[in-house]
Amino acid sequence: MGENKRTVIDLSVPMDALAKEPFPPKIEYETHEQGAEQAASILGLEKDNFPDGKAWAVETLTLTTHTGTHVDAPWHYADQTAGERSRTIDELPVEWFYGDGVLFDFSDKETGYELQVKDFEEQLAQMEYELKPYDIVLVRTDADKRFYEEDYAFCHAGVSADATRWLINKGIKVMGIDAWGWDIPLPLQAQQYRENPQDDILWAAHYVGKEAEYCQIEKLANLDKLPKKHGFKVAAFPINIKGASAGWARPVAIFD
């Protein structure tokens, strides 16, 4: 047997009640002793019938489909895409979620910076790489380093509608970011709207999903650990939830 030289890097944040995202999970932990009580009740036994009075441990989570690292389906953005009913997470082709990864490093951009087409084009030129259909695009802002800080949801650079549309036109079906959201932070969107009320300000990049199908991975992590910007695989399969606008995922980058 030859040496296994494959490296797999976890790109997800943990489900943690202490996270400073706006809608953290509520997690109830049941002990092995409680598991024995539950099992005994189900089976008509006594708790002490189990070795050491212990059985299974179980957790109960209360959360949204957009809590933690997750994949947004077209249904999240709007009820229609290009005049047709938008698809939910369970209706999307699974092959979209495994492909060649391409990393764009925008960790030098300040909070609220809105990434434009030229920003992506400049990095592609530096990489000497051409995007191809079904590449999985990863956007690094390093917001994940503040996952337990109060301003986590509002500390990132975001992607513009034009850049989102440009990626879709390149054949990209799945694109992700290591921040709470794909657009610039919501308070900045609200401020811009109050100053200049227009339809193309609030949730602008998300609403590109009204024009064409695409998926966002939000709340990625560890993009700083990727040793190169392309030449690796990404697997980001969402949980199959009937009729849902998103599905939790544990994306990984795979290097051979």
Side-chain angles (χ1 to χ4, degrees):
M1 296 289 290
E3 181 182 358
N4 185 355
K5 296 183 179 180
R6 177 171 294 170
T7 300
V8 179
I9 299 175
D10 187 358
L11 303 182
S12 68
V13 295
M15 288 291 184
D16 190 341
L18 298 178
K20 297 304 181 184
E21 54 177 307
F23 308 104
K26 177 183 177 183
I27 308 176
E28 299 176 45
Y29 295 89
E30 296 186 17
T31 66
H32 296 88
E33 290 83 1
Q34 289 173 308
E37 292 174 357
Q38 186 181 60
S41 175
I42 292 171
L43 299 172
L45 298 172
E46 298 295 327
K47 173 185 174 182
D48 292 340
N49 294 150
F50 294 90
D52 301 319
K54 297 179 181 180
W56 52 65
V58 176
E59 294 74 47
T60 301
L61 278 70
T62 304
L63 71 171
T64 78
T65 51
H66 299 266
T67 299
T69 307
H70 64 276
V71 178
D72 286 341
W75 183 258
H76 178 53
Y77 320 132
D79 57 0
Q80 289 196 339
T81 304
E84 301 290 336
R85 176 190 167 277
S86 299
R87 289 198 282 183
T88 52
I89 200 70
D90 54 311
E91 297 172 325
L92 298 173
V94 292
E95 56 266 27
W96 281 10
F97 304 102
Y98 180 80
D100 293 328
V102 185
L103 172 67
F104 291 86
D105 184 357
F106 297 117
S107 57
D108 61 333
K109 302 300 185 183
E110 68 273 13
T111 294
Y113 182 88
E114 193 168 43
L115 297 163
Q116 304 297 327
V117 173
K118 64 179 177 60
D119 295 306
F120 287 88
E121 289 178 330
E122 287 171 0
Q123 289 212 12
L124 281 175
Q126 293 166 8
M127 294 182 213
E128 299 182 341
Y129 184 82
E130 276 293 325
L131 287 174
K132 63 184 185 301
Y134 302 103
D135 280 350
I136 295 179
V137 166
L138 308 175
V139 174
R140 175 185 168 189
T141 71
D142 282 352
D144 62 305
K145 307 310 174 198
R146 299 166 73 170
F147 189 54
Y148 294 100
E149 297 180 15
E150 293 294 339
D151 66 343
Y152 164 67
F154 313 119
C155 70
H156 59 278
V159 184
S160 68
D162 284 344
T164 303
R165 191 175 291 110
W166 177 82
L167 288 168
I168 295 171
N169 289 337
K170 291 285 186 181
I172 307 303
K173 293 295 188 181
V174 178
M175 52 193 80
I177 193 168
D178 61 355
W180 184 71
W182 180 255
D183 291 76
I184 62 172
L186 287 171
L188 293 179
Q189 296 177 46
Q191 177 183 333
Q192 291 177 8
Y193 184 82
R194 284 191 291 267
E195 293 171 353
N196 183 24
Q198 293 185 21
D199 288 342
D200 60 352
I201 292 178
L202 297 176
W203 227 37
H206 279 71
Y207 281 145
V208 175
K210 294 180 178 182
E211 305 167 18
E213 277 193 325
Y214 82 104
C215 294
Q216 297 172 6
I217 313 171
E218 293 179 327
K219 284 174 267 187
L220 288 167
N222 301 323
L223 296 183
D224 58 311
K225 295 182 180 178
L226 303 187
K228 53 185 179 180
K229 293 188 174 181
H230 58 87
F232 60 94
K233 295 290 186 182
V234 172
F237 300 107
I239 294 294
N240 187 353
I241 306 173
K242 183 69 175 178
S245 64
W248 309 290
R250 189 171 187 176
V252 297
I254 304 167
F255 294 84
D256 286 318

